[in-house]
């Protein structure tokens, strides 16, 4: 059998590869304070993490609390109740995903560390190429998800309200922009300035956080799934080279078989 000429490659650039693999995931999770903190974290990192978490939950609550008040007190029509409840359900799901990010921080850190170890232990150029291809696909999935989700923020929270005609009341003495989500007058009169502008800006930020949580969740799923696929493809490549080995391979058949078994155990875990 003709052996394929393959250069053995020890991955000295694993940090760059790791950064390429998780950069988008780290960005989306850091925005909401859900990227795993280092075990030897400084107090400044802890304060930043807590601040981003409080800010994110506060912005989500800015939509949910007034919306629930409107559902229970202000709105009486069943159709209107269903319409508002359907819109608020997206934020309820965002809060649930956000909470899971918080309580699963240690698990996410463990997964990230395992991915980093896989990049560090790459020895062959062929294996590195397989992992980079899967990392590129993961990034494309995250970008596509972000395009639709952030595009929804721009259209639903900015373009749509600003292109609608402003509401005129009190014989033309009161003109205001329609808010994206209802805001009950029992809390504040959102029709008047500057409360109207403040509420509108806060709702845009709240929508961005909710959509970013979804992008972060989808990106994390894509990261783990595609990395797992990459490791399975690496395992298949090892099986193809099990009998004859690679060019300039000094390992025995027994050693190669042990490596295959070890890789298989790592993948199924």
């Amino acid at each position: 059998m003709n052996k394929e000429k393959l250069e053995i490659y020890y991955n000295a650039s694993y940090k760059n590869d790791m950064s390429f693999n998780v950069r988008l995931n780290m960005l989306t999770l850091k925005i909401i304070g859900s990227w795993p903190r280092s075990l030897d974290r400084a107090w400044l990192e802890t304060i930043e993490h807590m601040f981003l978490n409080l800010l994110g939950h506060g912005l989500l609550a800015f939509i949910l609390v007034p919306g629930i008040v409107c559902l229970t007190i202000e709105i009486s029509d069943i159709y209107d109740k269903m319409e508002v409840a359907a819109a608020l359900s997206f934020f309820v799901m965002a809060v649930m995903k956000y909470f899971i990010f918080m309580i699963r921080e240690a698990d996410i850190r463990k997964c990230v560390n395992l991915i980093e170890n896989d990049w560090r232990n790459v020895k062959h150029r062929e294996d590195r190429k397989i992992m980079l291809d899967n990392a590129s696909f993961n990034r494309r999935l995250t970008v596509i998800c972000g395009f639709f989700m952030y595009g929804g923020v721009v259209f639903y929270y900015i373009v749509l309200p600003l292109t609608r005609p402003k509401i005129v009341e009190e014989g033309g003495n009161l003109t205001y922009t329609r808010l994206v989500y209802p805001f009950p007058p029992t809390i504040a009169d959102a029709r008047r300035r500057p409360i109207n502008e403040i509420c509108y800006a806060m709702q845009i930020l709240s929508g961005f956080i909710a959509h970013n949580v979804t992008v972060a969740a989808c990106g994390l799923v894509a990261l783990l799934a595609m990395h797992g696929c990459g490791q399975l493809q690496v395992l298949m490549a090892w099986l193809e080279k099990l009998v004859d080995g690679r060019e300039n391979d000094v390992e025995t058949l027994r050693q190669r078989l042990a490596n295959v078994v070890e890789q298989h155990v790592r993948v199924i875990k």
Side-chain angles (χ1 to χ4, degrees), residues 4 6 27 46 67 102 134 136 143 198 255 259:
E4 180 183 357
L6 186 64
L27 177 62
T46 301
M102 291 179 59
N134 283 274
S136 298
V143 168
I198 294 174
Q255 290 173 325
N259 291 336

Side-chain angles (χ1 to χ4, degrees), residues 47-63:
I47 292 177
E48 179 187 11
H49 184 84
M50 294 176 60
F51 172 76
L52 291 175
N53 270 281
L54 290 174
L55 179 62
H57 283 90
L59 287 172
L60 294 177
F62 186 82
I63 296 292

Side-chain angles (χ1 to χ4, degrees), residues 29 34 53 57 93-108 213 217 220:
L29 286 170
S34 296
N53 270 281
H57 283 90
M93 294 297 296
V95 170
M96 293 173 62
K97 286 179 283 191
Y98 206 160
F99 181 71
I100 291 174
F101 283 150
M102 291 179 59
I103 64 176
R104 293 292 185 178
E105 179 184 358
D107 294 330
I108 297 175
V213 170
L220 186 61

Side-chain angles (χ1 to χ4, degrees), residues 11-25:
N11 192 15
S13 60
Y14 78 91
K15 290 185 178 180
N16 293 332
D17 295 339
M18 178 66 181
S19 176
F20 173 79
N21 195 7
V22 303
R23 185 180 300 136
L24 296 181
N25 304 94

Side-chain angles (χ1 to χ4, degrees), residues 129-139 226 229-230 233:
K129 183 180 182 303
I130 291 173
M131 294 175 65
L132 285 174
D133 289 342
N134 283 274
S136 298
F137 191 74
N138 159 51
R139 288 169 63 93
M226 295 313 303
C229 289
Q233 292 174 16

Side-chain angles (χ1 to χ4, degrees), residues 28-91:
T28 54
L29 286 170
K30 270 193 171 183
I31 290 175
I32 55 177
S34 296
W35 181 253
R37 294 166 290 175
S38 56
L39 294 177
D40 55 344
R41 54 185 175 270
W43 63 271
L44 186 61
E45 183 182 359
T46 301
I47 292 177
E48 179 187 11
H49 184 84
M50 294 176 60
F51 172 76
L52 291 175
N53 270 281
L54 290 174
L55 179 62
H57 283 90
L59 287 172
L60 294 177
F62 186 82
I63 296 292
L64 285 174
V65 173
I68 292 173
V69 172
C70 285
L71 280 176
T72 55
I73 299 177
E74 302 294 335
I75 302 176
S76 57
D77 184 73
I78 297 298
Y79 177 79
D80 292 338
K81 281 180 176 288
M82 293 177 61
E83 187 177 13
V84 173
L88 293 179
S89 64
F90 177 75
F91 281 83

Side-chain angles (χ1 to χ4, degrees), residues 70-214:
C70 285
L71 280 176
T72 55
I73 299 177
E74 302 294 335
I75 302 176
S76 57
D77 184 73
I78 297 298
Y79 177 79
D80 292 338
K81 281 180 176 288
M82 293 177 61
E83 187 177 13
V84 173
L88 293 179
S89 64
F90 177 75
F91 281 83
V92 173
M93 294 297 296
V95 170
M96 293 173 62
K97 286 179 283 191
Y98 206 160
F99 181 71
I100 291 174
F101 283 150
M102 291 179 59
I103 64 176
R104 293 292 185 178
E105 179 184 358
D107 294 330
I108 297 175
R109 183 190 301 111
K110 180 181 178 181
C111 292
V112 172
N113 290 337
L114 289 174
I115 293 174
E116 185 175 5
N117 288 334
D118 289 336
W119 281 110
R120 185 187 291 114
N121 295 327
V122 173
K123 293 183 179 180
H124 304 286
R125 187 184 300 273
E126 182 184 61
D127 298 344
R128 181 171 180 265
K129 183 180 182 303
I130 291 173
M131 294 175 65
L132 285 174
D133 289 342
N134 283 274
S136 298
F137 191 74
N138 159 51
R139 288 169 63 93
R140 287 196 293 270
L141 289 177
T142 305
V143 168
I144 292 172
C145 178
F147 174 79
F148 284 105
M149 296 305 297
Y150 296 137
V153 174
V154 173
F155 177 77
Y156 189 71
Y157 292 82
I158 299 177
V159 175
L160 196 59
L162 294 182
T163 53
R164 287 180 175 179
K166 292 189 175 183
I167 300 175
V168 180
E169 294 182 359
E170 298 181 2
N173 294 324
L174 180 62
T175 303
Y176 60 93
T177 302
R178 185 190 302 272
L179 296 178
V180 182
Y181 291 93
F183 198 89
T186 52
I187 297 178
D189 190 355
R191 301 175 302 168
R192 304 187 181 277
R193 294 184 175 181
I195 299 177
N196 180 256
E197 288 80 1
I198 294 174
C199 289
Y200 177 58
M202 292 290 289
Q203 287 189 354
I204 292 176
L205 293 176
S206 302
F208 173 78
I209 292 297
H211 285 72
N212 186 80
V213 170
T214 302

